[in-house]
């Protein structure tokens, strides 16, 4: 839980990565102000594995390094590093924390996963956290005390002794003057780095602003991290598979120009309910996938209902073409996402004449009519 102080900021994952790396780099800097304690909560193993080499170097120079992960502990931690397994249900499981503390220096980042997302170059970069960060020793001291209390019963005596020795040294010395000036400069640099990164990478998963439209499958894979970039168990994402069929021979009966206009009308109807953070992809001539982060099952079913009504309503504009619409809905925190299961359920819905099917916990066998 965040302590009293300035109001927490809403931070994106991209911003947190920048600040985390700055704190880790400060922990690696050669300085005669030890001993050093570093505590980091990574949420999930894939996030730690990307930084494992860096934390090995930190552990080599720190008095104690603590790494917390949900459900598992990192392999092959070096001497002086200790792992803590977090339970899925505890508050720390949703916390991203990096704290570095010496008698003369402190830096801390503490943020809580909101399980929501903002428009960004990729789905992972847009994940939202509520928290604060700073390069002030007394704030870092507070966070080490807090985390030591919450993790203490899961750390061996050697780790607790090392942390307590650092805490005693910190309490014996006053904070270094000028911290607020240094922090102001660091915040300016962090903002400029984030702004430069945003201008260069927001095009990865276009569109990120304005009305959502279709992206191609490679772009969708890059944006969602379907190849395993995003860790499972973090951000829930609604998947809506939609099949739109029209009578056989329609292009021949009404002309290809009319068919092209109808296809554009179908795409407009499919994407009309989507938010700027959502994406849609055409998987086949008559099949689409809508990807909607941070939606509940009920909200996803409501969107599927809107899509069904919008596409079916095109018959008013194209009175000689009656579109048949079938959909399947699931909400998942699996990675890779269960796209194949959703497509299977859409096929089942089309065969059985079910307007909107649900895929309960990604089990296509339990698809049911909505």
């Amino acid at each position: 839980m965040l302590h009293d102080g300035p109001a927490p900021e809403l931070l994106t994952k991209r911003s947190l990565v920048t600040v985390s790396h700055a704190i880790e780099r400060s922990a690696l800097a050669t300085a005669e102000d030890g001993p050093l304690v570093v505590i980091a909560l990574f949420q999930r193993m894939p996030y730690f594995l990307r930084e494992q080499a860096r934390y090995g170097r930190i552990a080599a120079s720190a008095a104690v390094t603590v790494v917390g992960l949900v459900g598992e502990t990192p392999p092959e931690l070096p001497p002086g590093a200790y792992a803590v397994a977090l339970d899925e249900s505890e508050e720390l499981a949703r916390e991203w924390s990096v704290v570095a503390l010496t008698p003369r220096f402190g830096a801390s980042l503490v943020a809580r996963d909101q399980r929501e997302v903002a428009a960004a170059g990729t789905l992972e970069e847009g994940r939202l956290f509520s928290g604060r960060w700073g390069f002030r020793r007394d704030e870092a001291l507070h966070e080490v005390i807090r985390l030591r209390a919450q993790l203490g019963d899961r750390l061996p005596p050697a780790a607790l002794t090392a942390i307590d020795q650092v805490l005693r040294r910190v309490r014996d010395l006053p904070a270094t003057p000028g911290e607020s000036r240094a922090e102001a400069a660091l915040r300016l640099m962090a903002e400029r780095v984030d702004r430069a990164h945003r201008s260069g990478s927001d095009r990865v998963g276009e569109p990120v602003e304005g009305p959502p439209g279709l992206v191609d499958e490679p772009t969708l894979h890059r944006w969602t991290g379907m190849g395993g970039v995003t860790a499972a168990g973090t951000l829930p994402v609604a998947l809506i598979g939609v099949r739109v069929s029209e009578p056989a021979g329609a292009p021949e009966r009404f002309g290809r120009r009319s068919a092209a206009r109808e296809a554009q009308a179908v795409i407009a109807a499919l994407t009309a309910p989507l938010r700027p953070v959502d994406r849609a992809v055409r998987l086949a001539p008559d099949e689409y996938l809508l990807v909607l982060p941070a939606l509940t099952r009920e909200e996803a079913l409501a969107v599927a209902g809107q899509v069904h009504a919008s596409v079916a309503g095109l018959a008013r504009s194209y009175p000689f073409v009656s579109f048949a619409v079938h959909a399947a809905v699931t909400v998942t925190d699996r990675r890779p996402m269960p796209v194949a299961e959703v497509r299977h359920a859409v096929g089942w819905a089309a065969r059985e004449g079910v307007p909107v099917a649900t895929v309960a916990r990604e089990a296509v066998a339990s698809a049911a009519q909505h």
Side-chain angles (χ1 to χ4, degrees):
M1 182 177 296
L2 301 175
H3 65 80
D4 293 337
E9 305 173 60
L10 197 59
L11 304 165
T12 64
K13 168 69 178 292
R14 179 168 53 198
S15 299
L16 297 186
V17 169
T18 300
V19 176
S20 294
H21 287 174
I23 295 174
E24 292 157 359
R25 181 66 62 89
S26 71
L28 286 168
T30 301
E32 298 177 355
D33 63 346
L36 166 69
V37 57
V38 175
I39 303 177
L41 306 183
F42 281 89
Q43 290 195 297
R44 307 285 168 163
M45 181 67 78
Y47 300 134
F48 173 73
L49 292 178
R50 296 174 202 169
E51 314 295 340
Q52 185 172 10
R54 180 181 292 114
Y55 274 79
R57 296 195 299 273
I58 289 173
S61 60
V64 59
T65 304
V66 177
V67 174
L69 294 164
V70 172
E72 52 188 333
T73 56
E76 302 178 3
L77 285 176
Y82 303 89
V84 175
L86 304 175
D87 187 83
E88 181 79 49
S89 62
E90 66 179 300
E91 284 193 10
L92 291 181
R94 290 177 62 180
E95 188 174 310
W96 180 329
S97 294
V98 183
V99 185
L101 178 68
T102 76
R104 292 292 189 182
F105 169 82
S108 59
L109 163 66
V110 180
R112 183 172 175 80
D113 191 347
Q114 299 299 290
R115 294 175 70 84
E116 297 177 1
V117 67
T122 68
L123 183 62
E124 179 70 8
E125 288 180 344
R127 289 173 58 206
L128 290 174
F129 294 75
S130 175
R132 63 171 64 89
W133 64 271
F135 281 72
R136 304 197 185 202
R137 196 203 61 169
D138 287 351
E139 288 184 4
L141 169 63
H142 179 98
E143 296 304 337
V144 170
I145 293 172
R146 176 183 69 90
L147 291 169
R148 189 237 187 263
Q150 292 181 275
L151 302 174
D153 60 350
R154 286 171 278 185
L155 288 171
L160 296 175
T161 298
I163 292 174
D164 291 341
Q165 288 174 346
V166 175
L167 293 177
R168 283 194 295 271
R169 291 283 302 278
V170 172
R171 290 190 178 105
D172 289 341
L173 295 171
T176 302
E179 285 183 330
S180 61
R181 296 182 188 277
E183 186 181 276
L186 288 166
R187 287 188 178 277
L188 175 62
M189 287 188 289
E191 290 169 3
R192 288 183 173 176
V193 167
D194 185 62
R195 189 159 53 243
H197 194 290
R198 182 165 57 249
S199 65
S201 68
D202 277 352
R203 300 181 63 86
V204 171
E206 284 188 317
V208 296
E209 295 180 355
L214 289 181
V215 298
D216 57 21
E217 286 193 69
T219 299
L220 185 69
H221 277 261
R222 290 193 298 271
W223 179 69
T224 59
M226 286 182 177
V229 173
T230 305
T234 53
L235 180 71
V237 176
L239 301 178
I240 303 177
V242 184
R243 181 174 294 183
V244 181
S245 304
E246 61 180 19
E252 288 74 17
R253 289 163 53 197
F254 303 113
R256 295 194 177 275
R257 181 173 299 178
S258 175
R261 287 196 298 268
E262 292 165 15
Q264 289 301 313
V266 167
I267 292 172
L270 284 168
T271 59
L274 303 189
R275 307 162 297 171
V277 297
D278 301 329
R279 296 292 182 273
V281 61
R282 193 173 193 172
L283 301 175
D286 62 346
E287 190 176 351
Y288 302 83
L289 179 71
L290 311 182
V291 183
L292 308 95
L295 250 59
T296 65
R297 179 178 177 275
E298 290 71 23
E299 290 168 337
L301 286 169
V303 172
Q306 293 174 37
V307 168
H308 191 278
S310 296
V311 177
L314 292 177
R316 293 190 294 270
S317 301
Y318 300 92
F320 302 106
V321 179
S322 179
F323 293 94
V325 187
H326 301 91
V329 177
T330 192
V331 175
T332 182
D333 60 8
R334 276 176 48 187
R335 302 294 187 273
M337 297 181 191
V339 175
E341 290 93 324
V342 172
R343 297 187 71 177
H344 183 88
V346 171
W348 175 88
R351 291 192 303 272
E352 300 296 325
V354 174
V356 180
T358 59
V359 188
R361 303 297 298 174
E362 294 89 57
V364 295
S366 62
Q369 184 172 359
H370 172 60

